[in-house]
Amino acid sequence: MAGKAITGPVADAILRAVEPIIYKRRHLTHLILVLLTLFFGVQTMRLQPDAGWLKTVPLDHPYMQKFRQYYKDFGGANTVLVALIQDKDKGEIYNPQFMDALQHATDDVFFLPGADRARVMSIFTPNLLYVENVEGGLSGSTVIPHDYQPTPEVLQKVKSNVAKAQAIGRFVTNDQRGALIMTELLEKVPAEQAATAEGDTAAPAADASAAPADDYSQKITLAPDDKFTAAVQQFREKVLHVSSDPTRLDYNKVGDYLEKLRAKYEKNGIRVSIIGFSMIVHDMTKAALQVAGFFMLTLVITGALLWLYCGSFKLGLIPLGSSIVAVIWEMGGLRCFGFGMDPFAILVPFLILAVSVSHGVQYVNAWVDEVHHGKNSYDASLETFRRLAIAGTIALLTDVAGFATIYLIKIETIREMSINAVLGGLAIIVANKMLVPIWLTMIKLKNVDAFIERQNRKDAVLDKAWWWLSGVTQPKVATVILLCCGGVLGWALWGKQDLKIGDAIKGVPELRPDSRFNQDFNAITNNFQIAVDQLKVIAESKPNGCVDYQLMNQVDRFSWDMDNTPGVASSLSMLTLAKLAYQGLSEGRLNALVLPRNHFALAQATALVPTSSGMLNDDCDGIAVYMFTKDHKAETVAHIVSEVKRFNEENRKDFFARTTDVNPQYCDTQYQTFQGLKAAEGDAILYGASGETPDAARLADAQARVKDLQAKYDGMPKDCPVNFALATGNVGVMAATNEVVEAQEGRVVLWVYVVIIILLWLCFRSWRGILCIVLPLGLVSVMGYAVMAALNIGMKVAPLPVLALAVGIGVDYGIYVYGVMAGGFAEGKPLRQAYFETLRGTGKAVIFTGITLAASVTTWLMSQLQFQIDMGLLLLFMFTANMLGAILVLPAIACFLHPERSPNKGAEPSTRIPQHSDSIGPG
């Protein structure tokens, strides 16, 4: 049989309430579920990609609060870098062809959808200046003269200006063969840009290949590539009524625009390299069709193996069909709740499919077992439902509760994954506990006797293997298995220490190392000093702190310290330019490349650095110190952040050691008041933003807070040390994300296991059962971390939910295996006999499910997404290890936790199928 059913007043009451719905009114219930599936299918078709840079950011983290506070002054971290680098045989960039391409490319980046146009920078933009010492004082201007013409004389002047502006390594390659264009993206597209984009969409697409070699005047447009794409979009809008926020940045449109820009300028010996979050999303979204192909391949492989296992094509379709229904409900439910499909969550449907197949196989396997004993389809389904419905639902509720705990991590992408997985778990409950039983009552086997005979022959072949395998319940064998588990646990704990929290490689781990994006990443990082990896630390001081030498000296020492920190390629701040200005004011003397101590000279030097440079705010109480890092590996980011904190603390101690009239507590109060004032000012700007309807109540509250805090702050002496506040820039975001993942990862896993233990207690009311299931599961989880470290997979936003979600598979295996064993115990059977019968039914299904799921994810190794390859390897391990844990480790633990069931060590099993008893040998 399928094992002893979970009984009790609550379980019996649930069955009495649910059975009539599924069986007595099964046709009506089936019709309702089919209609709901059609509804969710339509919603699934309406599901749209939903990527957002801010979704991947832990906005509640202190670093990100600082990021939001200074966003208006110093910009964000969602940068796009476009590099034009010409071949070596072309020489330097100062020729008419390259400069023409760079000028037009800068214009095209300016019109990039969602670009913060005030922060577009290249040698052709007016916000890149140079200052030089001339007779009679200082002279400065833009790098490109206002009367620019591509003559040899002017191009030589541009080359000279590039050097004076300290742009080599920043906006021009070190060997001056290429140049860089930088911009930042807004999360909301301004109204004027949206109108421009709408106009562009209606224009015909530019054909770069038909343009003359040196003509870049054609405008980049975003018209649909073909009639099919336009027809699909029209269908979604008019038939499915798909609507989207027109002001929200569409990363796919950004990626399409940048790809067209690449095609337009990548010719005549010029290579165009483009990097940024938008290109990552674009490349991952482009691979969505391939991911869908892998999904279909997974269905085909799973269906073929199910057919082979069940011995009937119709029976094989049942768990597969119910799993497809669960995925449709999951994705349709996601759309109903107002979410889209985040590119980082594209693997969740695979996991839902895997969990659903696991439960479906168990149900069909138990149904076949009942048919063996002479029941018809209806009675076999009813008996299977009574035996498995409660245990299976508790297993799925355990999965759902585990999925829900991921919501504790305050990163929107992870929270959406949690909601996605919870919806999928609930959908599995409906599909497997309602649809599958109904379908099994309707199935008609052509020749039941022949079907049973085929199953008996297969069982006869496997019975000797199951009896041999049941030997793991013997003390000697169990001892060896547990000793091996101890050794594996030791290795896992040792290997887990090498797990990186964050990126473990130099490039982008979501894409393959040989992908175009990672090639572009390497090209830019190898040719420029600024690259895309930058950490901005905000030096906070009193208003007009720029003219106070004591404060500026602290900032200068901080920059020097960071320049000499391993992992930092270079640093840049307003003081870098101010010292150059002072040197120019001092007739270019080499020993004048310092900060002047005289506050008048200091004011004169710092005044030459405008706020438009993004290096200081209007009050000069915040100065951005840029640190360009060599890479964004986890250890690099963690080391730099720790060095910033170390310097800040040492600088603070040094200040108070030299200053006796101000105490640290007073400065802390002043700092907190200052932070509150800045936050209130930010709220006042937000709630009273021009061009939008102001939120009157919130605006009034923010203005009142500004007034009160301003009065309090103005009354405080300002002689306090500079606070070096972390952080903004994309490395600052990575640091915040890594810290959140590191802090929450252990807590999430702990809560997953707490929920599992509570529900297992409700299921079995046995501490022995809990240990038998949880101990192998915990071993596999620890091994999963070691495997990630061995495969050089960093713990990031994407892998964390996968580890937690994969625990659900192991819980299902354990509950089904132990549940049937417990049924054997209740009937007074010895441990080996109970486990042998478990292997003949549920255990066989667990082994098949583990092999099937492992075979399915091996197809992922052919993916163009490194993220999918890594997750495929991780899931391949998790599926296989959880299966082995349930089949080998769980009964070995039971051998010592159920010693009263250990006798009869070498006896023949009393098989449930008498006609095959002579085919079963001793262990």
Side-chain angles (χ1 to χ4, degrees):
M1 295 294 173
K4 184 176 176 60
I6 295 176
T7 59
V10 177
D12 293 341
I14 293 174
L15 290 176
R16 283 195 302 270
V18 176
E19 273 186 17
I21 298 174
I22 297 177
Y23 289 96
K24 289 187 178 180
R25 305 181 185 90
R26 66 184 187 277
H27 295 296
L28 176 60
T29 303
H30 186 248
L31 177 61
I32 293 173
L33 292 177
V34 169
L35 292 176
L36 285 173
T37 302
L38 292 175
F39 168 76
F40 285 120
V42 173
Q43 296 303 313
T44 299
M45 293 176 64
R46 299 176 65 184
L47 196 66
Q48 291 185 317
D50 184 22
W53 181 80
L54 283 178
K55 289 169 58 178
T56 64
V57 175
L59 292 176
D60 290 338
H61 191 278
Y63 299 173
M64 294 303 94
Q65 292 176 357
K66 194 67 59 178
F67 168 88
R68 294 159 67 185
Q69 176 181 323
Y70 286 103
Y71 180 83
K72 176 177 175 290
D73 297 315
F74 303 122
N78 191 1
T79 57
V80 173
L81 300 184
V82 179
L84 280 66
I85 304 176
Q86 60 184 5
D87 296 339
K88 291 184 178 180
D89 59 355
K90 296 285 186 178
E92 295 182 343
I93 65 174
Y94 309 106
N95 60 77
Q97 292 77 20
F98 183 90
M99 297 298 285
D100 183 49
L102 180 62
Q103 181 179 13
H104 283 88
T106 302
D107 293 339
D108 284 338
V109 171
F110 183 83
F111 289 103
L112 175 70
D116 186 350
R117 293 177 177 176
R119 299 186 188 280
V120 176
M121 290 191 72
S122 82
I123 62 173
F124 270 96
T125 57
N127 50 7
L128 187 61
L129 308 171
Y130 74 93
V131 177
E132 64 176 333
N133 186 39
V134 297
E135 184 178 353
L138 293 177
S139 174
S141 182
T142 58
V143 172
I144 304 295
H146 69 277
D147 57 350
Y148 169 78
Q149 292 293 329
T151 62
E153 295 77 17
V154 173
L155 291 175
Q156 283 301 310
K157 180 175 177 59
V158 170
K159 180 177 181 179
S160 175
N161 293 347
V162 165
K164 296 171 186 175
Q166 302 291 308
I168 298 176
R170 295 170 55 211
F171 293 97
V172 176
T173 60
N174 295 317
D175 58 6
Q176 302 194 61
R177 287 191 304 107
L180 186 72
I181 309 165
M182 175 189 294
T183 188
E184 294 179 5
L185 295 180
L186 305 167
E187 283 296 301
K188 295 285 187 178
V189 180
E192 65 275 10
Q193 288 195 33
T196 303
E198 187 68 25
D200 287 348
T201 303
D207 183 5
S209 61
D214 57 350
D215 182 12
Y216 300 105
S217 60
Q218 299 182 58
K219 193 171 184 180
I220 296 176
T221 63
L222 294 175
D225 292 331
D226 51 48
K227 294 181 179 180
F228 176 76
T229 304
V232 170
Q233 183 63 29
Q234 188 177 25
F235 172 79
R236 292 172 65 86
E237 292 177 353
K238 294 186 176 181
V239 179
L240 300 179
H241 305 292
V242 175
S243 60
S244 58
D245 182 0
T247 66
R248 185 168 183 177
L249 183 63
D250 187 335
Y251 282 93
N252 286 318
K253 283 189 176 181
V254 174
D256 289 340
Y257 187 99
L258 290 172
E259 286 296 343
K260 287 179 178 293
L261 184 148
R262 187 202 303 275
K264 182 177 179 180
Y265 295 100
E266 195 164 63
K267 56 187 177 181
N268 301 329
I270 298 176
R271 178 182 172 88
V272 180
S273 299
I274 307 173
I275 58 177
F277 176 79
S278 56
M279 291 302 294
I280 298 174
V281 172
H282 179 260
D283 290 349
M284 291 184 68
T285 304
K286 275 201 312 183
L289 184 61
Q290 185 190 54
V291 172
F294 283 118
F295 188 85
M296 298 304 297
L297 183 59
T298 298
L299 292 180
V300 172
I301 293 174
T302 304
L305 293 175
L306 285 170
W307 184 5
L308 180 66
Y309 174 79
C310 296
S312 167
F313 179 73
K314 289 187 289 186
L315 281 178
L317 283 179
I318 287 179
L320 185 64
S322 67
S323 301
I324 295 173
V325 169
V327 172
I328 291 174
W329 280 49
E330 169 221 345
M331 300 180 73
L334 199 65
R335 173 65 178 78
C336 290
F337 277 89
F339 295 102
M341 178 56 71
D342 192 292
F344 292 95
I346 56 178
L347 301 187
V348 174
F350 284 92
L351 293 172
I352 297 304
L353 182 76
V355 175
S356 184
V357 166
S358 176
H359 283 267
V361 169
Q362 290 292 344
Y363 205 98
V364 171
N365 185 74
W367 181 87
V368 170
D369 195 37
E370 296 297 337
V371 171
H372 277 186
H373 289 78
K375 291 186 174 64
N376 59 33
S377 297
Y378 182 93
D379 292 337
S381 177
L382 180 60
E383 182 62 26
T384 302
F385 180 81
R386 290 172 176 171
R387 290 182 178 276
L388 294 184
I390 300 299
T393 302
I394 290 177
L396 285 169
L397 289 176
T398 303
D399 297 342
V400 169
F403 301 159
T405 57
I406 305 172
Y407 197 83
L408 294 172
I409 300 178
K410 295 182 179 180
I411 298 176
E412 189 176 347
T413 293
I414 292 182
R415 289 189 160 186
E416 285 189 16
M417 286 187 195
S418 174
I419 295 171
N420 192 352
V422 166
L423 291 174
L426 297 175
I428 296 172
I429 293 176
V430 175
N432 278 271
K433 308 311 171 191
M434 297 185 73
L435 268 180
V436 171
I438 293 174
W439 286 346
L440 287 174
T441 64
M442 300 176 180
I443 196 167
K444 303 296 182 183
L445 298 175
K446 291 182 179 180
N447 190 334
V448 177
D449 293 336
F451 174 76
I452 293 176
E453 182 61 28
R454 288 197 303 271
Q455 297 298 319
N456 287 340
R457 286 199 300 268
K458 286 197 297 186
D459 288 343
V461 172
L462 293 173
D463 278 344
K464 288 185 178 181
W466 299 143
W467 178 247
W468 176 82
L469 188 57
S470 67
V472 298
T473 58
Q474 295 179 309
K476 290 183 180 179
V477 180
T479 300
V480 172
I481 290 175
L482 295 182
L483 287 175
C484 291
C485 289
V488 171
L489 178 62
W491 167 81
L493 292 173
W494 173 74
K496 182 178 181 291
Q497 298 175 2
D498 295 330
L499 179 65
K500 304 293 191 301
I501 305 297
D503 287 333
I505 64 174
K506 181 179 179 181
V508 177
E510 286 79 12
L511 303 173
R512 292 175 71 103
D514 59 351
S515 66
R516 179 62 192 263
F517 183 95
N518 279 326
Q519 291 179 24
D520 289 351
F521 182 92
N522 291 331
I524 292 178
T525 54
N526 292 337
N527 286 282
F528 297 91
Q529 293 178 2
I530 64 174
V532 71
D533 293 327
Q534 58 178 257
L535 175 68
K536 298 179 192 176
V537 175
I538 311 303
E540 299 174 322
S541 63
K542 64 184 181 181
N544 295 316
C546 296
V547 299
D548 189 319
Y549 173 78
Q550 295 299 328
L551 296 178
M552 293 302 98
N553 185 49
Q554 295 175 44
V555 178
D556 194 34
R557 288 192 296 107
F558 173 75
S559 297
W560 184 90
D561 195 278
M562 292 300 105
D563 269 329
N564 291 277
T565 297
V568 176
S570 63
S571 70
L572 178 68
S573 72
M574 66 163 289
L575 299 184
T576 308
L577 304 181
K579 287 192 283 186
L580 288 171
Y582 182 66
Q583 184 184 39
L585 291 168
S586 303
E587 298 180 346
R589 289 185 290 108
L590 294 178
N591 62 354
L593 192 64
V594 296
L595 279 180
R597 293 176 177 269
N598 182 278
H599 67 274
F600 293 109
L602 182 59
Q604 187 180 27
T606 56
L608 293 173
V609 184
T611 56
S612 62
S613 65
M615 295 184 180
L616 70 162
N617 59 5
D618 292 338
D619 295 333
C620 203
D621 53 17
I623 298 173
V625 180
Y626 291 74
M627 284 176 281
F628 304 105
T629 64
K630 294 180 179 178
D631 54 59
H632 53 249
K633 292 181 181 179
E635 58 268 29
T636 303
V637 175
H639 176 69
I640 295 174
V641 168
S642 67
E643 286 298 298
V644 172
K645 293 179 178 178
R646 175 197 59 78
F647 182 91
N648 198 32
E649 186 60 30
E650 290 180 357
N651 182 67
R652 177 183 171 90
K653 290 179 179 178
D654 179 67
F655 180 88
F656 289 119
R658 293 182 288 102
T659 306
T660 58
D661 55 342
V662 179
N663 60 62
Q665 291 77 17
Y666 177 84
C667 283
D668 290 340
T669 302
Q670 175 190 286
Y671 175 69
Q672 292 169 5
T673 305
F674 175 75
Q675 295 308 306
L677 174 61
K678 288 296 180 183
E681 289 174 343
D683 288 344
I685 294 172
L686 176 64
Y687 299 129
S690 59
E692 299 179 8
T693 303
D695 189 326
R698 291 183 174 180
L699 177 59
D701 176 69
Q703 290 173 339
R705 285 188 289 126
V706 169
K707 184 177 180 180
D708 292 342
L709 290 168
Q710 187 71 59
K712 182 178 180 181
Y713 184 68
D714 288 344
M716 293 180 173
K718 304 303 185 294
D719 293 329
C720 287
V722 174
N723 179 63
F724 296 94
L726 290 160
T728 179
N730 69 310
V731 173
V733 174
M734 291 178 188
T737 305
N738 293 350
E739 289 184 10
V740 168
V741 171
E742 185 174 18
Q744 296 290 339
E745 177 266 332
R747 186 182 306 175
V748 167
V749 173
L750 175 63
W751 277 110
V752 167
Y753 278 92
V754 167
V755 170
I756 287 174
I757 289 171
I758 291 173
L759 291 176
L760 287 177
W761 174 257
L762 295 175
C763 183
F764 296 109
R765 300 296 179 92
S766 166
W767 63 269
R768 293 183 177 90
I770 292 174
L771 290 179
C772 286
I773 295 173
V774 171
L775 290 180
L777 196 62
L779 175 61
V780 174
S781 293
V782 177
M783 291 171 64
Y785 294 123
V787 169
M788 286 183 64
L791 295 176
N792 210 22
I793 302 173
M795 179 63 75
K796 292 184 60 182
V797 170
L800 177 60
V802 172
L803 274 179
L805 297 176
V807 171
I809 295 288
V811 171
D812 296 341
Y813 292 164
I815 287 178
Y816 279 118
V817 169
Y818 187 83
V820 178
M821 283 180 60
F825 299 160
E827 295 173 2
K829 296 176 182 177
L831 177 60
R832 186 170 187 180
Q833 176 68 29
Y835 188 53
F836 166 73
E837 296 185 2
T838 299
L839 286 172
R840 299 183 82 242
T842 296
K844 176 177 63 176
V846 166
I847 293 173
F848 166 78
T849 304
I851 294 173
T852 299
L853 298 180
S856 298
V857 298
T858 54
T859 61
W860 296 8
L861 303 183
M862 299 180 291
S863 174
Q864 292 300 311
L865 291 177
Q866 187 64 39
F867 161 66
Q868 189 173 16
I869 295 174
D870 291 342
M871 294 306 98
L873 291 171
L874 187 58
L875 288 176
L876 176 63
F877 166 78
M878 297 294 284
F879 290 155
T880 305
N882 277 319
M883 180 264 289
L884 294 176
I887 296 300
L888 298 178
V889 183
L890 187 154
I893 296 174
C895 173
F896 297 100
L897 295 184
H898 293 275
E900 70 278 9
R901 304 296 177 191
S902 295
N904 198 27
K905 296 174 186 175
E908 297 274 346
S910 57
T911 178
R912 297 177 297 143
I913 308 176
Q915 62 265 38
H916 295 298
S917 60
D918 57 349
S919 67
I920 305 171

